[in-house]
């Protein structure tokens, strides 16, 4: 009897200590800093709330990827202090280009000059890390000479690719929310929070499973977020939900020390590092590389029905 109880206890302990759950690690990153104002708060309120939310959620270190060119926009002027406040709170900053161009549109030379222009502002600042996050995650994956010219330029400058592995679709939720707000529609804020949290958790779980199946290990995931009102309002809820699903939130420094950080995958799917590695060297994708909730049409539909409580579109009658 005692022996049985001991074995049951041992089994329970081993289940708790299962490596699958223990190794789900994720770091947070926020792009487009300083970003256009959102629907609900001033940029200063947004920064204050975001810092407070991360502190309350015990998230020690995230990355803010800066577009110094935004400081020259009417809505970005004078916001250097907000960037410094993130760093004082323990977070780090990286290069997101000067003015957020599409590499595929402007070509390698102009793009590299844009990186250098941002570096002039960033180099030597407290909290700076030599990481480059591609705007739009556009690495010119189907234009090999352009892709490789930028890769060589990054190596020359000792800049590491600030890749992502998980998408939160927050920019789209922020855009839909602003549109609804500006047109006087009623926004169900609890439903907005729940939709955002669901996208974050499902996207992280999907990436974890994809890594498990294709890389046969669990790299530290890096989630793409933005400096939006959505994050200022709900990032602590997303963190709590991730933890409830067995995730450990780790500093972004730890994420970019992962072995996958050094890779330069030869793949047309460079917008997610795990998707890129899963398809490197011409391997066909084992399945969809991202979940349905990373699709714009799916998120927009969910927003309209769940957050704006619009009637769901009627499904077409099934064909016999
Ligand atoms: Zn961006």
């Amino acid at each position: 009897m005692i022996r049985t109880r001991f074995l049951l206890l041992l089994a329970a302990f081993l289940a708790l200590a299962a490596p699958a759950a223990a190794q789900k690690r994720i770091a947070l990153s926020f792009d487009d800093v300083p970003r256009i104002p959102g629907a609900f708060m001033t940029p200063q309120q947004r920064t204050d709330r975001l810092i407070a939310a991360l502190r309350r959620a015990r998230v020690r270190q995230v990355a803010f990827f800066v577009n110094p060119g935004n400081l020259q926009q009417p809505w970005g002027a004078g916001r250097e202090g907000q960037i410094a406040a993130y760093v004082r709170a323990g977070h780090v900053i990286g290069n997101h280009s000067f003015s957020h161009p599409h590499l595929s549109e402007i070509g390698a030379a102009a793009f590299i000059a844009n990186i250098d222009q941002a570096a002039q502002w960033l180099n030597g600042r407290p909290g700076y890390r030599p990481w480059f996050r591609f705007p739009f995650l556009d690495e010119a994956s189907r234009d090999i000479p352009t892709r490789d010219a930028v890769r060589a330029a990054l190596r020359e400058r000792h800049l590491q690719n600030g890749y992502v592995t998980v998408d939160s679709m927050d920019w789209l939720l922020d855009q839909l929310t602003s549109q609804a707000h500006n047109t006087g529609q009623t926004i169900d804020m609890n439903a907005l929070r729940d939709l955002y949290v669901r996208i974050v958790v499902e996207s992280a779980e999907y990436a974890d499973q994809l890594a498990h199946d294709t890389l046969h290990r669990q790299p530290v995931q890096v989630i793409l977020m933005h400096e939006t009102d959505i994050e200022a309002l709900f990032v602590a809820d997303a963190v709590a939900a991730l933890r409830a699903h067995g995730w450990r939130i780790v500093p972004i420094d730890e994420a970019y020390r992962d072995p996958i950080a050094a890779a330069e995958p030869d793949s047309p799917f460079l917008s997610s590092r795990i998707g890129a590695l899963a398809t490197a060297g011409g391997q066909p994708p084992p399945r969809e590389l991202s979940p349905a909730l990373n699709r714009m049409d799916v998120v927009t539909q969910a927003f309209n029905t769940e957050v704006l409580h619009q009637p769901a579109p009627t499904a077409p009658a099934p064909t016999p």
Side-chain angles (χ1 to χ4, degrees):
M1 181 65 196
I2 287 173
R3 186 181 163 81
T4 309
R5 195 177 293 164
F6 171 75
L7 288 176
L8 282 172
L9 272 172
L10 182 67
F13 174 77
L14 288 174
L16 279 174
Q23 289 178 9
K24 290 198 315 196
R25 293 162 296 164
I26 190 165
L28 276 47
S29 66
F30 299 82
D31 281 15
D32 302 358
V33 181
R35 201 168 185 274
I36 48 167
F40 303 112
M41 53 193 96
T42 67
Q44 184 65 53
Q45 288 168 334
R46 185 172 65 189
T47 293
D48 293 345
R49 286 191 70 146
L50 191 47
I51 289 173
L54 291 169
R55 186 189 302 122
R56 270 201 315 278
R58 293 172 287 105
V59 177
R60 283 195 291 131
Q61 187 206 56
V62 307
F64 289 92
F65 284 94
V66 179
N67 298 117
N70 289 356
L71 294 162
Q72 298 175 0
Q73 301 290 335
W75 42 264
R79 287 169 58 189
E80 291 84 351
Q82 288 160 32
I83 298 170
Y86 290 130
V87 173
R88 277 199 307 278
H91 306 299
V92 298
I93 53 177
N95 188 329
H96 192 36
S97 81
F98 189 77
S99 60
H100 212 276
H102 258 295
L103 171 55
S104 298
E105 287 168 12
I106 70 165
F111 190 79
I112 293 163
N114 207 281
I115 296 173
D116 288 341
Q117 201 181 351
Q120 277 180 19
W121 189 88
L122 284 159
N123 283 340
R125 292 212 175 238
Y128 172 64
R129 293 289 187 276
W131 302 331
F132 179 69
R133 166 76 46 88
F134 283 81
F136 309 102
L137 306 177
D138 175 3
E139 300 189 28
S141 63
R142 291 168 196 276
D143 174 353
I144 305 306
T146 299
R147 181 197 76 182
D148 288 350
V150 174
R151 284 180 173 181
L154 293 181
R155 277 197 302 271
E156 252 170 55
R157 289 157 177 75
H158 305 288
L159 279 168
Q160 178 178 308
N161 185 336
Y163 60 86
V164 310
T165 65
V166 180
D167 200 338
S168 70
M169 301 300 283
D170 61 335
W171 64 271
L172 180 56
L173 289 179
D174 191 64
Q175 185 182 309
L176 293 168
T177 301
S178 287
Q179 280 164 8
H181 181 80
N182 293 340
T183 51
Q185 298 181 75
T186 304
I187 299 165
D188 181 339
M189 295 301 283
N190 290 336
L192 177 60
R193 177 199 60 212
D194 292 347
L195 176 57
Y196 166 69
V197 168
R198 194 166 89 238
I199 297 172
V200 167
V201 172
E202 279 193 23
S203 302
E205 292 286 328
Y206 196 96
D208 177 61
Q209 199 57 49
L210 184 66
H212 184 268
D213 294 349
T214 58
L215 312 183
H216 311 295
R217 61 178 291 266
Q218 289 172 294
V220 182
Q221 305 282 348
V222 177
I223 187 165
L224 169 63
M225 295 173 164
H226 295 78
E227 190 198 32
T228 74
D229 288 3
I230 302 281
E231 266 75 22
L233 290 166
F234 305 131
V235 75
D237 299 289
V239 164
L242 284 167
R243 287 187 175 128
H245 283 78
W247 288 87
R248 195 154 61 80
I249 315 298
V250 301
I252 189 83
D253 275 342
E254 181 178 333
Y256 284 145
R257 282 197 299 265
D258 194 281
I260 67 169
E264 289 190 330
D266 183 23
S267 161
F269 305 103
L270 294 179
S271 56
S272 153
R273 177 57 57 98
I274 292 168
L277 289 168
T279 53
Q283 290 181 73
R287 65 171 97 126
E288 291 292 325
L289 295 175
S290 52
L293 272 174
N294 281 183
R295 277 173 37 199
M296 284 177 64
D297 59 330
V298 173
V299 174
T300 303
Q301 188 57 56
F303 180 87
N304 288 341
T305 52
E306 295 170 26
V307 180
L308 301 184
H309 298 297
Q310 290 175 359
T314 44
T319 42

